[in-house]
Every structure is written in structure tokens, then in C-alpha cells.
Amino acid sequence: MRVTDTSDRWWRTAFIYNLNVKSFMDWDDDGVGDLEGLSHRIDYLAALGVTCLWLAPFYTSPNKDNGYDVSDFYGIDDRYGHHGDFVEVVRTAHDRGMRVIVDLVVNHTSDQHPWFRSARSSPDSPHRDFYVWRDEIPADAPANVFPDAEDGVWFWDEKAGAYYEHNFYRHQPDLNFANPEVREEIAKVVGFWLEVGVDGFRVDAVPYLIEPGAADEHEYLRLLRGYISRRKGEAMMLGEVNVPRDEQLSFFGGSDADELSMQFDFIGNQRMYLALARQDPAPLVDAIESRPAITTGSQWANFARNHDELTLDQLSDDERDEVFAAFAPEESQRIHGRGITRRLPPMLDGDPRRIRMVYSLIFTLPGAPVLYYGEEIGMGDNADIPGRSAVRTPMQWSDAENGGSSRAARRRLVAEPPSGAYGPEHVNASAQVKDPDSLFSYVRELAALYRRSPEIGWGDYERLETGDAAVLAHRMSGSTGQTVALHNFAPGPTVAELTLPGADEDWRLVDARSGTTHAVDAKGRVSIRMDGYGAEWFRLIGPDSRRL
Ligand code: GLC
């Protein structure tokens, strides 16, 4: 019996998998993925080792922003099924030991939401103050999040006779969180989905939810977290917070840790791409080492790609240009002057060693890994589809028509799969599941390693000397043991001259995959041969270790 029960912080060691229902699996042959199709694919995710499913917005929506424009927070887009189908997904996932979190998109609503229709209809509407209105555009208006699409954050509404605020698209009016009634309504929404069975939320656009300039800017996040925790002790909030390092801690709730449970490490993500472009891990190392210290209730989410552009907005102009030059040489592969619209494998010219090295980093750097569907099989983007939608093509299940994602006519699909080298005939789950040398099998192995090594999520990070600047070596240690990971950012083979402080000739370094044992000398040194772009993981086993 352990005195410290950590089950209420399950996210510290979660393997999170994000998918959009419409792009995953179509079970009723209408060309649109649905909840029933997803239920049938939960076993695939369980086999991969996923422990938490993150569902992108599946709510009723005009779908002008991939479902991030919600017109009914309680409704489910008819094309995906109904609440019964949703409960089946949650039940099946829970049965396979997987938790389910859902996107909570409450910074704004769709302009088709009944609240907004009512709000714009009259100054006396009970919903008028649900949104943010001005008679004039304020002098200090910030830039819009989507500069390629919108000029600003204030839009003149003829009907209302006033400007409303929209940090995102103009069809996404911002909710007014200073209004206690809005807070109450959102609490009901959150309470509803918790009761339906979800285990937490991926909270969209968090920095826009707080009230900049208010006496207590973070009050709302704290209230929301408190409410969620009271309703369901184990529920978590994973926040989308792309801000500089020195602002991040405040979103966890400072030393009280009473706001977000997790944050995506956007800085680590961006600096990882800079490191890849330079074939030098230094920028990534700086990023990891500049993370603010967090408490045991909080966690970082490590990721390679997501459903949006690969934003590089936290890099300097020169650094961004380096990454653009390496991974998005064509203007058409860029968006908003700050990001890349491609998936990882095409950016890395399909080099399997390099692709694996990136996922090995995602699973071994301190934190919890998050994958976007299709990453586990190396799906590419469809470069013919402009903007962020290039990475939102149907999951490639097999080499059948439409990649096996749907039996509908191709023109009815939500998006066309890519053709050529990344087409379903070359990249699909069915072939990879059976192939022990596939990327799928590699990622499954990473997931198993991560699961066996809770110190990656819980332990202390320490960088190790290797004598080769292109090799990142780090150790994660905790009460569960020690994991050592080596990543070679350069294309050529090398020998890493590793030094392991605290270890001596009574210790041994065991390859986590092959079981090969490397002797450690009296000074804690050991030499490890590495391939170009190689990634290796080891257990460091001391004389007292009881680990297998
Ligand atoms: C977040 C989502 C993005 C969406 C935006 C507006 O940034 O990740 O896809 O467009 O919020 O909701």
C-alpha cells in the first residue's frame, strides 16, 4: 500500500492522442467520420498504448473553423451521431483503460449561437452583455490571431449598431468573461460534459479567457479549475497557452497550482524545430532548462505537431527564417507569417531515422507526450489543400479507397487524402500494425517504454555530458528508477562518451529495447555507439535496483 496516492494526477504520465471525429472513421458511409466509427477504432488506440483521448470539437457548429465555432455547447454535430454514440465512445475508452478529454472552446461562440443572435438583436437583449461591444474601435486594439484572414479584433455589426470583439475570426465573437452570467453558463456546460463522463478538458485559447488589466487577471481560470475539481476530483485541464516562458507559471496558478493542470510546451516545440534545422540540440536544451519549476500537480505536454499551423511565433525573426528555410522552403507551406502548414514527415524529407528521433524526444523529454492522429504512422499533409486544413485529411487506415476511412464517394469526404509518397497505398495503419519495423511499432514501443518509466513524467531531469555537441543525452530519475535517453541530431554516426554522475562499476546501463547491457566504469563512464539521427533509451540500474 502506498501512502502517496498519485492517481488523481494521472496526467503526469498520460499518453494523449488527439483526433477530430470527422477525420477519423466513417461508419455510416456519408463521407464524414463519426462517433460510431471512432468506437470501432478504440482498440487500435489501446494497442498503440494511448491512455487519454483528446477529442477536438464535435459540437453543433457551422464548421467555419473546424468546429472551433460552436453554436450549441450541449449539442453534437448531427453528422457525427448523437449523445448515445458519444457515451459509447466514452464507455469503450474507459473500458480499455483510456481517459477522454474534450475541447472546451469558450473564449468565443459562433456568430450563429443563439446567445449572439439574441445579443446583436437589441441593446436590451438579456444576452447583450454576454459579448464585448464598443461604439468605437479602441486605440490600443491588439492584432488579430489570424492576420491572413482578419484586419483587427473589432467588427462592426450592422444589426447591433456596435463593434464586437473577436480575437479570432469575425464569425467567432468573444464571450465576456467579466459577466458572471457567462461564467455561470459555462460552468453548466462543463458540469454537463463531466456528468456525461469526460475526464477533463483541453481548454482552447486560454490567454484570451483571462481579463487583462483586471485586478485579479487569473480569477476566472481559478474558479473554473476549482469548480471542475469539486465536480470530479480527477478531472484535468490541459491549456493551450502559447506565451513566453516568464508568463507560463501564472497559468498553472503560480505556487498554488490551482489553475491549469497541464500546458503544451509551445516554446519547447518551436525550439525543437530550430534544433532540428541546426542539427544541434542546444536550442531545445535551453528551452527545457528554461521551463519554470512546476509543482507535482502540474505537467508539461510535449508534442511535435497539432491540428493548427506549426507556429514559430516565439522564435526571433532570424531563427524563424532558419526553420522556414529548412522545413518550409515554399511560401505556400507557410501561414500568418509565423507558421508551417505541413506535417512532420514531409518536413523531414521522409527520413525515417529523423522522424523516429523526434518521436523518441516527445516520449522521453520530461512531461507527457501528445500525438495528433496519424503521426504514429507517419501521415503526410495534403499540400493541395491551403492553410491549416492541409493536416486535417482522413486517417489512413488501409490501402483501400479513401484510405479505408470511408466507403463514400471521394467527393463526399471531409478532405482528400494526399496522393503520391504519402498516399494511403504507401502509408496506412493496417500494414504498419503488422510490421514490427514500422513507425507504428516504434511508437508503440515508445509508449510502452514511457509507461514502464514513470520517472519521465514524475522525475528530475538532468543533462549528461557526451563529448559530442550534436548528441543530447539526458537522465530522468525518480523513486521509480532512472531512464537515460540519447538523441543524435546530426546525420552521421558517432560515439557518445557518456558520463553518469553517481554511477560506478556496480551499475549497468541496459538498452531498453534490446536488453543489451553496457558496463559502466568506476568514474561512471560508458561509450555508446550511435547511428546518424539515432535515438537510444536505457535503464540505469544500480546495485540496489529491483527493476526488471
Ligand atoms: C485554437 C485552436 C484553433 C482555433 C482557434 C479558435 O487556437 O487550436 O484551431 O482556430 O483556437 O478557436
Side-chain angles (χ1 to χ4, degrees), residues 54 68 101-107 177 186 190 200-207 209 220-221 224-225 228 236-241 259-264 266:
W54 152 26
Y68 283 89
I101 65 172
V102 296
D103 244 285
L104 182 68
V105 191
V106 293
N107 168 68
F177 276 89
I186 299 307
V190 162
F201 301 91
R202 178 269 189 188
V203 191
D204 190 57
V206 175
L209 288 181
Y220 179 61
L221 265 188
L224 188 61
R225 173 68 184 277
I228 288 176
M236 64 91 123
M237 282 164 61
L238 162 58
E240 183 197 26
V241 188
E259 295 182 33
L260 296 173
S261 333
M262 291 184 82
Q263 287 181 50
F264 294 102
F266 279 98

Side-chain angles (χ1 to χ4, degrees), residues 465 496-501 503-505 507 509 518-528:
E465 291 305 323
E497 305 289 355
L498 205 57
T499 305
L500 299 158
D504 57 29
E505 69 268 38
W507 292 62
L509 198 61
H518 300 263
V520 179
D521 78 7
K523 293 193 168 146
R525 290 176 308 199
V526 54
S527 304
I528 304 291

Side-chain angles (χ1 to χ4, degrees), residues 65 68 105 108 146 168 202 204 240 307-308 388 392:
D65 182 17
Y68 283 89
V105 191
H108 46 262
F146 300 133
F168 295 83
R202 178 269 189 188
D204 190 57
E240 183 197 26
H307 64 289
D308 289 325
R388 294 182 295 165
R392 298 171 180 173

